[in-house]
Amino acid sequence: MSTALTPYIEKLDAALAEKNIATDYLNMAEEKTGMPKRNIVLGAIALTVVWLAIGIGSSLLCSVVCFVYPAYKSFKAVESPQGDDDTQWLTYWIVYSTFNILEYFC
């Protein structure tokens, strides 16, 4: 493996060693397929990159990334006692809405 990728592979291995719901499913997949978890994750990443390069579903993925995650973080920001994160996410939604409106008319 390339020495340039070694730190990223080590971070991936550390993340895969943690106990959470994603690693539980990866452990089941590893047992059923006999493939290491790292290879399953790297294969999924490669498949996603090819899928997006072809263009199938890229609009849906972009919408999910640009809407669902910020919506979740916005709800968390509203519930938190700090006010600076509220301002950050309100700014995001103003910019997001502006670009959506401009995209519609252009």
Side-chain angles (χ1 to χ4, degrees):
M1 184 126 342
S2 173
T3 56
L5 296 177
T6 303
Y8 300 108
I9 296 298
E10 290 172 357
K11 286 181 183 179
L12 176 62
D13 288 338
L16 292 175
E18 294 177 4
K19 176 82 170 125
N20 58 43
I21 192 166
T23 56
D24 291 342
Y25 282 114
L26 284 169
N27 286 333
M28 285 192 312
E30 183 178 36
E31 290 173 10
K32 289 185 180 189
T33 63
M35 291 179 61
K37 289 184 284 192
R38 180 198 306 170
N39 291 355
I40 294 171
V41 170
L42 292 175
I45 291 170
L47 183 65
T48 303
V49 168
V50 169
W51 181 52
L52 292 175
I54 293 173
I56 301 170
S58 60
S59 175
L60 174 64
L61 180 66
C62 181
S63 295
V64 168
V65 169
C66 293
F67 184 80
V68 174
Y69 175 74
Y72 170 76
K73 294 299 277 186
S74 296
F75 282 116
K76 289 292 186 182
V78 168
E79 293 174 353
S80 73
Q82 296 90 359
D84 57 341
D85 55 354
D86 296 353
T87 305
Q88 173 190 353
W89 287 107
L90 284 172
T91 304
Y92 172 83
W93 287 113
I94 290 170
V95 172
Y96 179 79
S97 300
T98 303
F99 279 116
N100 271 342
I101 291 168
L102 290 174
E103 182 181 28
Y104 179 76
F105 289 111
C106 293

